[in-house]
Amino acid sequence: MAESESNGLPVIDMQDFPGQLSKLIEACEEWGCFRIVNFQNFVPQSLMHEMKGVVRSLLDLPIEIKRRNVDVIAGSGYMAPSKINPLYEALGLYDMTSAQHVDAFCTQLDAAPHQRQTFVRYARAVHEFMMDIGHKIGEGLGLKGVPFVGWPCQFRINKYTFTSESVGSSGVQLHTDSSFLTVLQDDEIIGGLEVMRKSGTFVAIDPCPETLLVNLGDIAAVWSNGRFCNVKHRVLCKEAGIRVSIASFLLGPKETAVETPPELVDSEHPPLYIPFTYEEFRKLRISKKLHTGEALDLLRTES
Ligand SMILES: O=C(O)CCC(=O)C(=O)O
Ligand SMILES: [Fe+2]
């Protein structure tokens, strides 16, 4: 798949490294979003396919069961269709790197043994994949250490009930992810995702089976000292059908402040943000209702 087939969205080939390091960094800076191909040694197609089946059946459970999926941190559990997002609902868990959290989620939803196994395999595979992308980002920036070890990973499965009557209305409103990096297995048939370029224009991210999408979030903008783009995105209903996506969010350091690697700070690039933890940031975003990255402006060194 080439950029010309993806509305200009960069396509990163996992089997072409270190050749694609500079392309990867440019994608992080200019788009904050890219498609990935040839990652089968991390996340096999068969596992993506099986996981999609599991996710569909969990999202089809009766609402009384879905409601058992309570929040561990604000916004981590079940989200029922609401006034703001009537076409959307989601299930999720706070940290897919924790066997206990995955187990608790599966128990809440009465998952069958084969569903649990698929979930555990997917969580492990996607986490390793995220760490590898993180590693490559570090390498592309010429960093010495390997960051991102021990960072929690939120997990969310999204269902959009699109009908011909809802075409043109919003599935999920414009937002940035609060995370450092999000790996998205988007629906392979039903489109609707759009990313906003820095210029303000929207680009449709059309379905592309057998690939994964990466979005960078607010923590990536902080961690990179303003170099990386926390991409704004939304989902619109453009056609009738059930749209299902699987999102895994590498959040930020667990208890310590988000730290910019020293290589990215110098007299020409002074620190842009005061030190804060991911948890503090998440609370600020929620309490101020700032979901498109503006919460970062409250944490700038000169504000
Ligand atoms: O469903 C999608 O394609 C996007 C979902 C999303 O943006 C999110 O879960 O943060
Ligand atoms: Fe998102």
Side-chain angles (χ1 to χ4, degrees):
M1 172 195 205
E3 277 77 17
S4 55
E5 297 163 44
S6 61
N7 285 351
L9 181 73
V11 178
I12 302 294
D13 181 344
M14 288 299 272
Q15 291 193 341
D16 184 21
F17 277 87
Q20 303 225 324
L21 281 177
S22 56
K23 184 172 172 187
L24 173 65
I25 298 303
E26 200 184 314
C28 293
E29 292 173 341
E30 297 308 318
W31 283 77
C33 184
F34 45 91
R35 275 226 182 260
I36 306 213
V37 297
N38 288 329
F39 48 79
Q40 282 67 10
N41 45 348
F42 287 100
V43 191
Q45 295 300 333
S46 55
L47 180 57
M48 284 171 67
H49 184 75
E50 274 171 51
M51 185 62 177
K52 197 58 176 271
V54 171
V55 160
R56 275 186 190 276
S57 55
L58 296 180
L59 286 163
D60 282 344
L61 286 167
I63 188 143
E64 316 83 74
I65 296 185
K66 287 191 277 204
R67 284 199 196 282
R68 292 191 211 148
N69 173 221
V70 289
D71 281 359
V72 170
I73 58 168
S76 69
Y78 179 59
M79 257 179 271
S82 65
K83 259 203 181 119
I84 301 179
N85 291 319
L87 310 179
Y88 170 80
E89 70 179 314
L91 290 163
L93 64 104
Y94 166 50
D95 186 6
M96 66 194 235
T97 71
S98 153
Q100 256 174 320
H101 285 219
V102 173
D103 204 49
F105 177 80
C106 290
T107 301
Q108 285 162 348
L109 299 175
D110 293 338
H114 78 274
Q115 294 180 316
R116 273 177 200 260
Q117 278 165 14
T118 302
F119 203 131
V120 167
R121 278 170 49 227
Y122 188 87
R124 262 194 219 132
V126 170
H127 182 245
E128 272 176 37
F129 178 57
M130 282 171 159
M131 296 308 272
D132 190 73
I133 298 167
H135 197 102
K136 288 183 164 59
I137 289 176
E139 209 179 326
L141 291 170
L143 308 185
K144 286 185 210 84
V146 183
F148 322 123
V149 175
W151 291 15
C153 278
Q154 198 182 334
F155 178 81
R156 186 155 68 214
I157 53 186
N158 303 308
K159 177 181 182 180
Y160 305 82
T161 307
F162 291 160
T163 61
S164 45
E165 289 77 45
S166 62
V167 169
S169 55
S170 166
V172 153
Q173 290 180 318
L174 189 67
H175 67 280
T176 57
D177 294 343
S178 63
S179 49
F180 175 82
L181 173 156
T182 306
V183 170
L184 188 75
Q185 183 179 334
D186 53 334
D187 198 276
E188 60 277 16
I189 298 167
I190 308 285
L193 179 63
E194 293 188 341
V195 301
M196 198 173 115
R197 301 300 312 274
K198 290 178 190 170
S199 61
T201 52
F202 283 98
V203 176
I205 305 297
D206 295 327
C208 184
E210 307 195 347
T211 68
L212 289 167
L213 197 71
V214 170
N215 286 339
L216 297 186
D218 294 340
I219 295 298
V222 176
W223 176 86
S224 65
N225 201 26
R227 229 172 117 165
F228 288 172
C229 172
N230 48 339
V231 66
K232 291 182 184 147
H233 53 286
R234 67 182 180 190
V235 177
L236 289 182
C237 171
K238 296 186 175 176
E239 57 190 309
I242 301 290
R243 180 174 188 277
V244 169
S245 68
I246 309 174
S248 308
F249 306 89
L250 179 64
L251 298 180
K254 192 157 194 162
E255 268 135 17
T256 55
V258 182
E259 241 178 282
T260 298
E263 292 91 334
L264 303 182
V265 182
D266 57 33
S267 56
E268 277 171 48
H269 306 92
L272 289 183
Y273 299 97
I274 60 170
F276 58 86
T277 64
Y278 173 76
E279 202 187 331
E280 287 164 342
F281 176 65
R282 190 173 172 117
K283 284 188 182 142
L284 183 73
R285 235 179 94 115
I286 294 172
S287 67
K288 301 272 186 202
K289 298 192 168 60
L290 297 173
H291 295 292
T292 45
E294 307 86 340
L296 291 180
D297 297 339
L298 306 174
L299 297 163
R300 287 181 83 99
T301 44
E302 80 269 20
S303 73

